Amino acid sequence: MKVISSEIIISAVKPEQYPESDMPEIALAGRSNVGKSSFINKMLNRKGLARISSKPGKTQTLNFYLINELFHFVDVPGYGYAKVSKSERAAWGKMIETYFTTRTQLKAVVLIVDLRHPPTSDDVMMYDFLKHYEIPCIVIATKADKIPKGKWQKHLKVTRQTLDLEQGDEIVLFSSETGEGKDQAWTIIERFLGV
Ligand SMILES: Nc1nc2c(ncn2[C@@H]2O[C@H](COP(=O)(O)OP(=O)(O)OP(=O)(O)O)[C@@H](O)[C@H]2O)c(=O)[nH]1
Ligand SMILES: [Mg+2]
């Protein structure tokens, strides 16, 4: 997709704050600090649109971005960050669950995992959650620039096996540093959007 325009619409924590339009949406999911916001920026060719940080827990709200007046990317706070209280974690869970299970125009979730390491138990839980609710998903294995090319396929295989990836679910090797996998990711997202 050629990105002509991209802008933040709203940061929401509850359904009343979601944009009212019935525009199709593609949401992100993944561990805190894995690179969800960086993925959005790379896909949009925008350096600082989605706020990123080397410290986990940067994204705290559901951030809706409007792309080409055509669809929303929805950036979400990550899971698995140790330094949050029980009550914060519960609030996060409720916010994410509400969005993922009630948003009718949600077309697919982009599950971001770290190519360098096997998916965590939280990653597996997230994938199973998406399967349970029959939410279409794409797995993006990011930070590929951090491991040598010769090891990519081996790491992809571990990712696929650990998630127990269902047949038909696509996995894309990605890097927000180099843009590796960007075209492939767009092709899949366009298919989910039906454009
Ligand atoms: N080398 C490399 N670093 C990356 C890549 N993607 C993200 N990073 C770095 O990883 C850190 C976290 O990136 P974010 O995009 O903020 O991660 P996030 O998943 O949005 O994190 P939360 O908002 O805390 O959930 C930043 O320091 C990024 O620069 C990548 O593909 N390659
Ligand atoms: Mg983020």
Side-chain angles (χ1 to χ4, degrees), residues 34-149:
V34 71
K36 297 176 295 300
S37 301
S38 301
F39 172 83
I40 291 182
N41 286 336
K42 192 68 196 177
M43 293 298 280
L44 302 178
N45 308 314
R46 293 281 302 265
K47 278 226 157 62
L49 185 66
R51 301 295 300 278
I52 67 158
S53 167
S54 55
K55 278 187 268 157
K58 181 68 190 174
T59 309
Q60 300 273 3
T61 50
L62 299 168
N63 298 332
F64 292 76
Y65 297 94
L66 175 63
I67 319 306
N68 288 359
E69 314 275 332
L70 183 73
F71 78 100
H72 292 141
F73 260 138
V74 185
D75 197 9
V76 307
Y79 47 75
Y81 178 38
K83 283 189 193 151
V84 293
S85 67
K86 238 183 172 170
S87 60
E88 276 177 314
R89 196 163 306 165
W92 174 90
K94 193 162 179 289
M95 179 168 81
I96 300 295
E97 190 172 349
T98 302
Y99 172 77
F100 282 156
T101 59
T102 64
R103 193 67 166 159
T104 50
Q105 67 261 56
L106 178 64
K107 297 295 180 203
V109 169
V110 178
L111 177 60
I112 313 257
V113 298
D114 191 329
L115 180 69
R116 295 173 299 174
H117 315 290
T120 65
S121 54
D122 284 335
D123 292 330
V124 174
M125 217 187 295
M126 189 71 218
Y127 181 71
D128 290 345
F129 172 92
L130 297 173
K131 291 287 110 185
H132 177 79
Y133 285 99
E134 297 179 348
I135 301 169
C137 72
I138 324 160
V139 177
I140 299 285
T142 195
K143 303 194 180 179
D145 58 284
K146 294 227 179 185
I147 51 174
K149 228 175 180 166

Side-chain angles (χ1 to χ4, degrees), residues 2-39:
K2 187 168 166 27
V3 180
I4 311 285
S5 66
S6 54
E7 58 179 315
I8 176 114
I9 297 297
I10 194 165
S11 296
V13 292
K14 50 188 176 190
E16 301 89 274
Q17 298 165 333
Y18 301 167
E20 268 179 31
S21 72
D22 54 7
M23 196 155 277
E25 288 174 355
I26 303 285
L28 278 288
R31 214 160 39 72
S32 190
N33 218 36
V34 71
K36 297 176 295 300
S37 301
S38 301
F39 172 83

Side-chain angles (χ1 to χ4, degrees), residues 127 131 135-139 160 164-172 188 191-192:
Y127 181 71
K131 291 287 110 185
I135 301 169
C137 72
I138 324 160
V139 177
R160 210 179 265 124
D164 197 11
L165 206 73
E166 278 185 13
Q167 203 161 15
D169 280 352
E170 302 210 57
I171 181 163
V172 178
I188 298 168
R191 200 186 310 142
F192 281 122

